[in-house]
Amino acid sequence: MKKEKKEKISFIGFLTASIIYFIGSILNFIDKNIGTGTMFLCLGFSFLCLATTHLDKKEDKNNTDK
């Protein structure tokens, strides 16, 4: 039970970080900082991918009936 809670907390953490990076990217594009905006956009997608991998691990545990 503790491991599932830790996975949920890390999923929420990665998702929050990706949203913050996306907001930072939008703000940098508005200020015409294209390089920094692109870097923040890539970081946002990276953290979003990390969040989805934590979500997939939880779903795979429920599908052990194969």
Side-chain angles (χ1 to χ4, degrees), residues 6-64:
K6 285 182 181 180
E7 287 179 0
K8 186 176 180 180
I9 289 172
S10 59
F11 167 72
I12 292 171
F14 283 130
L15 193 63
T16 304
S18 69
I19 291 171
I20 290 171
Y21 277 120
F22 285 138
I23 291 171
S25 171
I26 291 169
L27 292 175
N28 280 314
F29 282 131
I30 290 172
D31 289 340
K32 300 191 185 206
N33 286 336
I34 304 298
T36 309
T38 305
M39 182 186 67
F40 277 26
L41 190 66
C42 291
L43 283 169
F45 280 120
S46 297
F47 275 90
L48 187 64
C49 290
L50 285 170
T52 57
T53 57
H54 280 276
L55 184 65
D56 288 341
K57 283 184 181 178
K58 187 175 179 183
E59 290 176 2
D60 288 342
K61 287 181 182 176
N62 295 333
N63 293 333
T64 58

